[in-house]
């Protein structure tokens, strides 16, 4: 049995009713850092101004939320403007919002006086739990797992329904951060749902409630919770040492003190002198240990941000059963969105909020109570019979794509096919041309240069499908304003060979000597050919060929490009993987020429737009600046030969953890975000008048 830890982070504005500290005219701002200097500015903000972060700075393009005192506002806005940092006001006066939050009093033994339209003080929550336990003496138990520094009880609730088939346990943690009032409110809601499940009309709820033994700690930080009601609405830590206090969610024994914490006692994220130095965190650890044997889920609830965060918070890579957890989160995300269209972002802390942290409760639980062996990602390529339909739930085959193209050409007046030539083994290199409107300028999307790259052909068919069928006004306009050429499989021989024999095959399939086969087509174009990042050894995976355009495939594509040269406005090459947008020319490290600056601006903004949906982070620059510096790429050649306004190479998901073996569950998300960014490229290019 292993514990699956997931944090849910709500979006709700923090709220108040408290007496002492008032936040009158404190303004809530949101800024998006798009340059390193912006991030630095945010990171140093507390030393310059009286600020309180609600969403800490992490990566570029990740929103940062913070409140600033009325005295500091003008100077702050000035400084931000000088840096070219765009800041929006989210709430002019946070105190007003706090004042609208109502705190109600629970009346003992009147169960209905407890509700989820208001917040409640600690004593009221505990009284309600007591009364509920008396109504359900068989099913529900209430007990203290320990005392706080100010001698309050940390209460836990156990629910085991009658007739339950429970073999394993769930622990739900709430209120570790004092000011996140929605967290205890949600956990009490969940308690109410589980205890009342037997009379619920919802069969799923009944089933789930009956499957586990449930344990809840609705308020893990009672002292801080009370302090946030009576003294400071924005109090986050516990109350050990008064103003010092320790951030309990940095105090657990997982990578304690290593990253994303402060050792300054006054800091919001002070981790404490040593792991489990605090009564609350050590009581929780003892409690979890007592159930560790059969613990299956550990869920912790925070506000805010709409994230589902999975372990581990202290690293960038995805380990253990990360993929399995992501599948669960994806299901949960869909269910949440189905209700009120609330959108959650899922991933590790680094993937979602954009920074790493340590000493986090759930990470410690996961590390202590289960370490499933890393399960290598296996997926099967389902051969599909000839069909007019195409899917993006799996990687596509050559037949899938070409059959679909033929189907489109025979059923859609806006679609025709074109064949640029044949591969070394005689396969067609075929694409489709989409003309929905009268736009004569052409956009060319190319993919599938490397055999092992199964993702990029599937992504460009995804884009084609949107351009052909969507009635969204922006998509329709983009489809109509240009003639679109989409060529998904420049290297069909290598692609087929990778699908049938050697999964990692990247080159084409032309024998280059008696013992070697294949040229790397992504190095074979006549743009600084063979200067960087290519090999002249015929056995090498990055063999550049015996000269530019030595290969049938690159020659055929280049000859076709010549025929549309007068209309060619945009050219995008798609490849997996690396999460980069490479702009011409690969070899440049300083003072790039041409319209480099506009293309980088467009690219950065477009990659910001790409990140909106799933927080996938791309770097933008020349290959030397942000990748491997390899020359001889098709986009550079197109830029050099035709001077297309927009020319760039997408290195798609991911950054190497799965590499070519990207799980199929990521295909559609990749398609969605890539398409978002394509629209943004057009939008931004128009905005700065280059299109
Ligand atoms: Zn929190």
């Amino acid at each position: 049995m292993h514990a699956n830890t997931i944090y849910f982070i709500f979006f709700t504005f923090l709220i108040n009713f408290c007496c002492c500290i008032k936040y009158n005219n404190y303004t809530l701002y949101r800024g998006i850092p798009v340059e390193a200097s912006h991030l630095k500015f945010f990171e140093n903000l507390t030393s310059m101004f009286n600020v309180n972060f609600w969403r800490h700075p992490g990566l570029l393009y990740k929103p940062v939320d913070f409140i600033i005192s009325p005295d500091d506002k003008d100077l702050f806005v000035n400084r931000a403007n000088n840096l070219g940092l765009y800041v929006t006001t989210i709430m002019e006066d946070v105190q007003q919002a706090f004042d609208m939050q109502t705190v109600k009093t629970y009346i003992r033994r009147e169960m209905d006086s407890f509700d989820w339209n208001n917040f409640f003080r600690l004593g009221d929550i505990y009284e309600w739990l007591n009364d509920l336990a008396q109504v359900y003496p068989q099913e529900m138990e209430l007990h203290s797992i320990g005392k706080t520094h100010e001698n309050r009880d940390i209460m836990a609730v156990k629910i085991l329904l009658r007739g339950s088939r429970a073999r394993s346990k769930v622990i739900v943690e709430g209120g570790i951060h004092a000011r996140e009032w929605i967290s205890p409110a949600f956990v009490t809601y969940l308690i109410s749902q589980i205890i009342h499940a037997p009379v619920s009309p919802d069969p799923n709820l009944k089933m789930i409630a009956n499957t586990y033994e449930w344990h809840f700690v609705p308020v893990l930080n009672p002292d801080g919770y009370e302090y946030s009601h009576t003294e400071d609405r924005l109090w986050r830590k516990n109350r050990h040492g008064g103003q010092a206090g320790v951030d309990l969610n940095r105090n657990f024994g997982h990578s304690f003190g290593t990253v994303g914490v402060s050792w300054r006692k006054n800091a919001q994220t002070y981790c404490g002198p040593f792991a489990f130095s605090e009564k609350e965190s050590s009581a929780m650890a003892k409690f979890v240990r007592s159930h560790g044997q059969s613990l299956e889920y550990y869920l912790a609830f925070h506000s805010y941000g709409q994230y589902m965060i999975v372990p581990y918070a202290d690293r960038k890579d995805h380990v253990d059963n990360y993929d399995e957890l992501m599948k669960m989160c994806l299901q949960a995300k869909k269910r949440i969105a189905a209700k009120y269209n609330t959108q959650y972002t899922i991933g590790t802390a680094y993937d979602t909020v954009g920074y790493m942290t340590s000493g986090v409760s759930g990470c410690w639980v996961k590390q202590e109570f289960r370490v499933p062996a890393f399960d290598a990602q296996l997926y099967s390529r389902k051969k599909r019979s000839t069909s007019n339909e195409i899917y993006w739930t799996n990687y596509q085959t050559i037949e899938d794509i070409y059959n679909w193209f033929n189907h489109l050409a025979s059923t859609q007046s806006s679609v025709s096919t074109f064949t640029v030539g044949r591969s070394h083994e005689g396969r067609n290199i075929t694409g489709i041309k989409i003309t929905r409107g009268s736009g004569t300028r052409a956009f060319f999307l190319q993919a599938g240069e490397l055999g092992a790259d199964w993702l990029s052909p599937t992504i460009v068919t995804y884009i084609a499908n949107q351009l052909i069928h969507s009635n969204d006004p922006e998509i329709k306009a983009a489809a109509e304003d240009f003639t679109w050429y989409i060529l998904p499989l420049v290297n069909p021989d290598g692609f087929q060979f990778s699908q049938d024999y050697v999964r990692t095959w990247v080159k084409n399939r032309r024998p280059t000597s008696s013992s070697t086969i294949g040229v790397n087509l992504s190095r074979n174009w006549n743009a600084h050919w063979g200067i960087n990042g290519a090999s002249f050894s015929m056995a090498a995976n990055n063999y550049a060929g015996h000269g530019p355009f030595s290969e049938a495939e690159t020659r055929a594509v280049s000859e076709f490009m010549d025929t549309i040269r007068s209309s060619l406005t945009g050219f995008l090459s798609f490849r997996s993987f690396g999460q980069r947008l490479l702009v011409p020319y690969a070899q440049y490290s300083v003072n790039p020429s041409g319209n480099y600056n506009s293309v980088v601006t467009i690219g950065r903004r477009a990659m910001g737009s790409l990140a909106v949906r799933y927080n996938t982070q791309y770097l933008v620059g020349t290959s030397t600046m942000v990748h491997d510096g390899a020359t001889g790429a098709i986009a550079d050649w197109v830029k050099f030969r035709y001077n297309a306004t927009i020319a760039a190479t997408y290195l798609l998901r991911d950054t190497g953890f799965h590499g070519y073996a990207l799980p199929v569950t990521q295909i559609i998300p990749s398609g969605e975000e890539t398409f978002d960014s394509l629209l943004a490229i057009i939008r931004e290019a128009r905005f700065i008048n280059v299109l």
Side-chain angles (χ1 to χ4, degrees):
M1 200 60 69
H2 57 271
N4 293 302
T5 1
I6 303 174
Y7 307 84
F8 288 83
I9 301 193
F10 298 98
F11 186 90
T12 171
F13 286 117
L14 297 164
I15 352 173
N16 187 24
F17 211 77
C18 73
C19 71
C20 288
I21 300 177
K22 288 287 182 190
Y23 290 94
N24 290 319
N25 290 315
Y26 277 65
T27 298
L28 175 61
Y29 291 105
R30 173 171 299 166
I32 312 257
V34 298
E35 287 172 17
S37 62
H38 297 166
L39 263 185
K40 194 146 222 114
F41 175 70
F42 280 128
E43 280 155 7
N44 295 329
L45 216 51
T46 40
S47 62
M48 294 186 279
F49 300 110
N50 183 0
V51 295
N52 183 315
F53 284 111
W54 290 13
R55 210 193 296 229
H56 285 262
L59 295 172
L60 286 178
Y61 305 109
K62 298 275 184 182
V64 182
D65 294 355
F66 46 95
I67 60 171
I68 293 199
S69 74
D71 298 342
D72 285 343
K73 273 193 261 186
D74 288 345
L75 188 56
F76 163 76
V77 171
N78 253 325
R79 293 255 174 105
N81 285 343
N82 287 342
L83 268 180
L85 173 60
Y86 185 61
V87 180
T88 36
T89 302
I90 296 189
M91 217 187 279
E92 197 66 51
D93 178 4
V94 296
Q95 187 62 45
Q96 268 185 24
F98 289 159
D99 290 344
M100 286 191 304
Q101 294 190 305
T102 51
V103 177
K104 201 178 152 189
T105 305
Y106 171 66
I107 303 163
R108 287 225 68 170
R109 287 181 193 82
E110 285 184 27
M111 302 299 295
D112 289 348
S113 69
F114 196 88
D115 61 31
W116 291 274
N117 299 316
N118 304 281
F119 295 102
F120 289 87
R121 295 282 294 272
L122 182 77
D124 286 328
I125 293 173
Y126 283 180
E127 285 184 352
W128 174 75
L129 287 172
N130 255 311
D131 289 351
L132 197 62
Q134 284 179 23
V135 177
Y136 296 97
Q138 303 286 323
E139 293 90 351
M140 179 167 160
E141 270 172 41
L142 192 62
H143 62 101
S144 172
I145 65 169
K147 295 271 188 187
T148 65
H149 286 282
E150 292 178 350
N151 212 34
R152 291 186 177 87
D153 278 312
I154 304 165
M155 299 305 292
V157 174
K158 174 185 167 187
I159 298 178
L160 184 62
L161 294 176
R162 266 185 286 183
S164 164
R165 298 175 307 277
R167 289 207 182 84
S168 59
K169 299 173 183 175
V170 180
I171 295 179
V172 180
E173 169 208 297
I176 194 171
H177 286 141
R179 63 194 185 182
E180 298 168 9
W181 291 1
I182 190 75
S183 166
F186 172 74
V187 175
T188 54
Y189 178 81
L190 188 57
I191 290 169
S192 171
Q193 291 291 307
I194 297 296
I195 196 74
H196 294 122
V199 295
S200 163
D202 180 348
N204 284 326
L205 175 59
K206 271 197 173 79
M207 191 266 289
I208 290 166
N210 269 310
T211 306
Y212 301 102
E213 179 182 305
W214 295 85
H215 296 269
F216 304 86
V217 177
V219 189
L220 180 53
N221 178 10
D223 296 348
Y225 185 72
E226 279 300 279
Y227 193 76
S228 75
H229 278 265
T230 58
E231 303 293 330
D232 181 355
R233 179 64 190 87
L234 292 176
W235 190 257
R236 167 185 168 99
K237 302 185 284 184
N238 74 354
R239 291 296 301 158
H240 184 199
Q243 281 313 109
V246 170
D247 182 343
L248 295 175
N249 207 32
R250 302 288 181 273
N251 189 243
F252 282 72
H254 178 257
S255 299
F256 173 81
T258 54
V259 62
V261 300
S262 177
W263 291 91
R264 284 188 307 114
K265 289 185 176 175
N266 286 329
Q268 293 273 14
T269 53
Y270 174 49
C271 59
F274 52 89
F276 298 120
S277 59
E278 303 310 293
K279 287 185 161 185
E280 297 86 352
S281 50
S282 62
M284 190 66 181
K286 203 173 137 209
F287 174 69
V288 175
R289 275 211 175 93
S290 70
H291 296 289
Q293 275 299 312
S294 47
L295 183 62
E296 190 168 351
Y297 289 94
Y298 186 92
L299 305 172
F301 293 86
H302 292 253
S303 77
Y304 65 85
Q306 291 170 206
Y307 303 114
M308 270 175 245
I309 305 178
V310 304
Y312 287 101
D314 65 329
R315 65 197 74 183
K316 293 179 185 173
D317 49 346
H318 299 159
V319 298
D320 295 346
N321 63 338
Y322 174 86
D323 289 330
E324 184 195 351
L325 284 175
M326 286 309 279
K327 273 183 202 156
M328 293 180 202
C329 288
L330 196 63
Q331 293 302 315
K333 174 187 157 81
K334 283 182 189 158
R335 290 294 183 88
I336 290 173
K339 198 129 199 168
Y340 298 112
N341 199 24
T342 309
Q343 299 297 327
Y344 270 65
T345 302
I346 61 184
T348 61
Y350 182 77
D351 296 340
T352 54
V353 293
Y355 51 83
M356 293 181 279
T357 58
S358 55
V360 171
S361 62
C363 294
W364 174 79
V365 174
K366 184 166 178 71
Q367 172 196 254
E368 282 296 284
F369 300 105
R370 87 357 16 136
V371 185
F374 173 62
D375 197 355
Q377 181 69 29
L378 296 173
Y379 54 88
S380 61
R381 180 173 54 89
K382 190 171 93 227
K383 280 254 183 196
R384 225 172 281 108
S385 57
T386 320
S387 160
N388 296 332
E389 296 290 318
I390 195 163
Y391 301 91
W392 288 273
T393 47
N394 206 333
Y395 291 106
Q396 296 160 355
T397 64
I398 298 178
E399 296 114 286
D400 288 339
I401 294 171
Y402 286 179
N403 286 337
W404 183 62
F405 280 180
N406 288 331
H407 172 71
L408 287 171
S410 63
T411 54
Q412 305 282 326
S413 59
S414 60
V415 180
S416 58
T417 61
F418 63 93
T419 295
V420 305
R422 285 172 180 244
S423 66
H424 174 76
E425 291 178 346
R427 291 187 176 85
N428 280 340
I429 302 171
T430 297
I432 47 170
K433 178 181 175 185
I434 305 166
T435 33
R436 276 181 82 176
S438 54
T440 51
R441 290 177 302 167
F443 246 91
F444 197 107
L445 311 183
Q446 164 273 323
E449 269 186 304
L450 304 173
D453 167 16
W454 299 0
L455 180 63
S456 72
T458 305
I459 295 303
V460 296
T461 60
Y462 179 92
I463 293 171
N465 188 50
Q466 295 290 322
L467 291 171
I468 295 164
H469 292 117
S470 178
N471 280 318
D472 171 278
E474 188 182 9
I475 301 174
K476 220 165 152 238
E480 288 170 355
D481 288 355
F482 301 96
T483 296
W484 293 86
Y485 294 89
I486 293 171
L487 188 65
L489 291 161
V490 170
N491 177 14
D493 298 349
F495 184 77
Q496 193 63 48
F497 190 74
S498 165
Q499 296 212 331
D500 291 342
Y501 302 104
V502 178
R503 177 66 188 88
T504 54
W505 189 263
V506 292
K507 299 191 280 187
N508 71 354
R509 291 294 300 163
R510 185 176 68 82
T512 48
S513 74
S514 58
S515 61
T516 56
I517 291 179
V519 168
N520 187 318
L521 299 182
S522 75
R523 304 287 193 273
N524 193 238
W525 303 84
N526 193 14
H528 257 60
W529 174 84
I531 304 290
N532 288 321
S535 173
F536 296 107
S537 155
M538 288 182 282
N541 264 333
N542 57 347
Y543 175 45
H546 58 68
F549 297 122
S550 58
E551 303 311 295
E553 295 85 357
T554 48
R555 274 199 309 277
V557 176
S558 70
E559 281 159 18
F560 180 81
M561 302 293 299
D562 266 343
T563 68
I564 60 163
R565 63 185 307 162
S566 60
S567 60
L568 192 66
T569 301
F571 179 90
L572 297 171
S573 172
F574 295 84
R575 242 192 261 168
S576 87
F577 53 89
Q579 291 174 203
R580 304 283 194 272
L581 185 76
L582 304 181
V583 303
Y585 293 101
Q587 65 274 20
Y588 286 147
S589 56
V590 286
N591 289 332
S593 59
N595 67 345
Y596 171 86
N597 286 326
S598 350
V599 176
V600 162
T601 303
I602 294 166
R604 287 213 176 113
R605 290 179 180 169
M607 295 309 110
S609 178
L610 183 148
V612 166
R613 208 181 272 260
Y614 299 108
N615 271 314
T616 309
Q617 302 294 321
Y618 271 62
L619 297 179
V620 181
T622 70
S623 184
T624 294
M625 291 171 179
V626 300
H627 193 52
D628 60 4
T631 58
I634 183 171
D636 280 9
W637 174 76
V638 167
K639 181 79 186 174
F640 176 71
R641 182 163 172 87
Y642 307 116
N643 198 26
T645 311
I646 310 275
T649 305
Y650 276 79
L651 305 183
L652 299 164
R653 286 192 192 190
D654 54 12
T655 54
F657 181 70
H658 297 291
Y660 291 127
L662 193 73
V664 295
T665 50
Q666 293 197 36
I667 298 172
I668 289 174
S670 301
E672 291 170 335
E673 68 193 11
T674 308
F675 190 67
D676 288 344
S677 72
L678 175 62
L679 291 179
I681 286 178
I682 294 172
R683 193 160 62 229
E684 296 296 340
R686 283 186 175 136
F687 184 68
I688 63 171
N689 290 319
V690 300
L691 264 189

